């Protein structure tokens, strides 16, 4: 492809996409790769607006003859707070208790995800620009929020961040999907799909 446009959700690890750029450059292929990051329904909107060839989303995808949809390895996230945060010290956390504290979120929630925090009072929600900013805010003790395991493995091991003991459960499993426009799929987009679907 002369240009490969890829849109992916911010909760998905960046590494496979950077590997694509590196491989295209190493092969000296005449393909210009454009990566766009967004969250939830913003991913679908950009996929359409930019007429991207590839999209990785955690939301359900409507099937279409022009789109190829494949499931990717599941992605686990935890509802966490810094070890010094009052919520981290509780042996039981209810939605009513959560509502008294600040929920940090990248784009808010989507009812299709069925997050345990979806019904929280919006007055207790603060939006940040990306998951790294969200992680930094949580590490400062400013609130709590969902973070993917791949981003917080070391902090969990050290006990710096702690999963909350929420009565509805503090673990959520996302089901990412890669979507390809079949009419625009070339070698680079196919290589990306192969790489994404082969991840452990």
């Amino acid at each position: 492809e002369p240009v490969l446009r890829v849109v992916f959700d911010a909760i998905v690890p960046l590494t496979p996409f950077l590997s694509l750029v590196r491989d295209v450059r190493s092969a000296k292929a005449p393909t210009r790769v454009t990566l766009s990051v967004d969250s939830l329904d913003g991913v679908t909107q950009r996929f359409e607006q930019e007429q991207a060839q590839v999209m990785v989303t955690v939301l359900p995808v409507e099937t279409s003859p022009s789109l190829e949809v494949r499931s990717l390895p599941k992605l686990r996230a935890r509802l966490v707070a810094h070890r010094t945060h009052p919520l981290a010290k509780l042996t039981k956390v209810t939605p009513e208790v959560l509502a008294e504290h600040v929920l940090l979120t990248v784009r808010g929630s989507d009812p299709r995800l069925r997050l345990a925090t979806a019904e929280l009072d919006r007055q207790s929600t603060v939006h940040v620009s990306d998951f790294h900013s969200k992680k930094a805010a949580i590490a400062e003790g400013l609130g709590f929020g969902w973070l993917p395991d791949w981003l917080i493995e070391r902090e969990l091991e050290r006990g710096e961040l702690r999963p909350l003991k929420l009565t509805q459960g503090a673990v959520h499993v996302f089901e990412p999907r890669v979507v390809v426009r079949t009419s625009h799929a070339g070698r680079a987009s196919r290589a990306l799909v192969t790489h994404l679907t082969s991840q452990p």
Side-chain angles (χ1 to χ4, degrees):
E1 304 97 316
V3 179
L4 171 57
R5 296 182 178 87
V6 181
V7 185
F8 61 96
D9 196 287
I11 202 170
V12 176
L14 179 61
T15 305
F17 305 101
L18 297 180
S19 297
L20 167 70
V21 175
R22 185 189 63 236
D23 293 346
V24 167
R25 288 182 61 84
S26 297
K28 297 183 179 180
T31 300
R32 181 165 58 89
V33 180
T34 301
L35 301 178
S36 298
V37 185
D38 215 309
S39 295
L40 301 178
D41 58 346
V43 176
T44 307
Q45 292 170 10
R46 294 186 73 157
F47 181 64
E48 295 301 334
Q49 291 169 359
E50 299 175 11
Q51 282 298 291
Q53 290 100 317
V54 181
M55 167 178 71
V56 177
T57 177
V58 294
L59 293 177
V61 179
E62 293 185 14
T63 56
S64 165
S66 63
L67 300 177
E68 176 186 328
V69 181
R70 296 179 64 178
S71 295
L72 298 179
K74 293 181 180 179
L75 195 159
R76 189 169 61 177
R78 299 172 192 268
L79 191 63
V80 298
H82 189 261
R83 59 182 175 79
T84 60
H85 193 280
L87 289 173
K89 300 174 183 179
L90 298 177
T91 56
K92 179 181 177 182
V93 179
T94 64
E96 292 76 21
V97 172
L98 280 185
E100 298 173 3
H101 299 273
V102 175
L103 169 65
L104 293 155
T105 178
V106 173
R107 196 184 176 94
S109 185
D110 187 294
R112 290 170 288 181
L113 291 177
R114 299 181 180 178
L115 290 172
T117 52
E119 301 301 322
L120 280 185
D121 182 357
R122 292 298 174 187
Q123 291 182 351
S124 62
T125 302
V126 172
H127 297 274
V128 293
S129 59
D130 57 77
F131 279 93
H132 289 278
S133 299
K134 182 177 179 179
K135 175 184 172 181
I138 292 173
E140 289 294 325
L142 299 180
F144 67 97
W146 296 98
L147 288 173
D149 278 4
W150 63 266
L151 186 60
I152 56 173
E153 288 177 348
R154 276 185 277 187
E155 289 79 7
L156 288 173
E157 288 177 4
R158 296 170 183 163
E160 295 169 9
L161 296 180
R162 294 181 181 172
L164 302 184
K165 296 179 174 64
L166 185 63
T167 51
Q168 291 95 327
V171 175
H172 185 83
V173 178
F174 291 89
E175 298 182 4
R177 296 170 181 83
V178 58
V179 181
V180 181
R181 293 188 196 278
T182 52
S183 59
H184 295 78
R187 290 175 62 188
S189 56
R190 291 295 179 193
L192 174 60
V193 171
T194 300
H195 185 60
L196 288 170
T197 53
S198 64
Q199 294 295 302

